Amino acid sequence: MRMKRLGVLTSGGDSPGMNAAIRAVVKSANHYGIEVLGIKHGYTGLIKGEVIPLGDHEVDRIAENGGTILKTARCPEFMEEQGRQMAVETIKKLGVEGLVVIGGDGSFNGAEKLSELGVNVVGLPGTIDNDLAYTEYSIGFDTTLNTVMDCIGKIKDTDSSHEKTTIVEVMGRYCGDLALYSALAGGGEIISTPERKLDLDTICSKLQDNINKGKLDNIIIITERMYDIEKLGKCIQEKLNITIRSTVLGYIQRGGEPSVFDRILASKMGVRAVELLILGERCRAVGIRNNKIIDVDFRKVNCVDSGKDKEYDLLNQLL
Ligand code: ADP
Ligand code: F6P
């Protein structure tokens, strides 16, 4: 029997390109004669039944905007079986036959559990962290990387004028990709990530080496949640007797107009999500590998080698 209605929601931290993904889901579904309900505030809205019908008009000119028109939320109730059962009831009441969840790994955990309760769910990786191993890129990562590079470029201007070093803390939760790729793009001299953590002595000796070679302005890029960067700066300062500045880039990294790369990625992924739901798939996450849109079982999203060792080896040659 032909599918009549599907739902789409955004969950967890917002990421630039989520709107482009929503647009693609709506346009593609409409193309196949399927109605779309937008579910507001992630899983919270799914439990409460907060929905808006989405048609061509509602998604007109949203692809160029950051954030998410559907709003997003972290929903503790959904972590409990009872909350998820309430969501299933809402889904039935609304006549939603398939659900697209746009979010990060937490949202995917929730989606997997929902699929175990008999709901057909497809996930799109919407997170600036790029922390889902099965996909080379998540929606929003490229935009955020560009924002980080823009900020670092500005810090470099003042650092080089004053011949000073700055520690720059970037987001990523427990994943070092934002730090790694900014360094690969020439953004920093020293990097420390959860995957390759440097201790204080190593940071100091690398910095001292650079200074000895005449490189007096240095950027140290670190992933959030690893150190207290004020304290780290003070420790380096005491050990090397130089002035260290520190900047936490913070939420500026999550906003802004999505890059063309993210819009195209989101659009291709949104179309695949609808196709998978039409085929009756119930537990798939859409991704990209070797420039091809792929889909994998939710249970396998983190059972894949993310291939980052190669990138770290490459970086060693560039720093
Ligand atoms: P992200 O999706 O960006 O990683 P979170 O980790 O905050 O963000 O997850 C978003 C939401 O997904 C949570 O607020 C919760 O509602 C749901 N979720 C996360 N982990 C689980 C889990 N293990 N089981 C059920 N739902 C979960
Ligand atoms: O997952 C995206 C992210 O921006 C992480 O990089 C960061 O650690 C976290 O969300 C911040 O979450 P919150 O919006 O709850 O402060």
Side-chain angles (χ1 to χ4, degrees), residues 13-14 74 127-129 131 171-173 178 224-225 251 254:
D14 61 297
R74 318 249 186 213
T127 166
I128 64 163
D129 301 331
D131 56 354
M171 279 187 167
R173 203 176 271 202
L178 281 170
E224 63 177 344
R225 299 176 197 230
Y251 291 101
R254 276 219 312 237

Side-chain angles (χ1 to χ4, degrees), residues 12 43 51 58 68 77-78 106 128 132 143 177 179 199 218 238 243 245 252-253 264 275 290 292:
Y43 292 129
V51 294
E58 285 73 26
T68 159
E77 295 90 331
F78 202 76
I128 64 163
L132 290 154
T143 306
D177 281 16
D199 60 21
N218 289 275
E238 275 163 25
T243 306
R245 298 160 159 175
I252 199 163
Q253 295 164 96
I264 293 173
E275 288 168 355
N290 300 321
K292 287 206 167 56

Side-chain angles (χ1 to χ4, degrees), residues 61-72:
R61 304 218 44 198
I62 65 166
E64 60 251 51
N65 299 324
T68 159
I69 59 158
L70 290 175
K71 316 295 177 195
T72 183

Side-chain angles (χ1 to χ4, degrees), residues 11-13 43 74-75 78-79 84 104-107 109-110 113 173:
S11 165
Y43 292 129
R74 318 249 186 213
C75 174
F78 202 76
M79 305 288 280
R84 294 194 291 275
D105 67 339
S107 304
N109 283 330
K113 292 197 173 139
R173 203 176 271 202

Side-chain angles (χ1 to χ4, degrees), residues 184-197:
L184 278 172
E189 282 66 41
I190 298 168
I191 81 155
S192 183
T193 64
E195 295 84 0
R196 303 281 167 104
K197 184 170 180 175

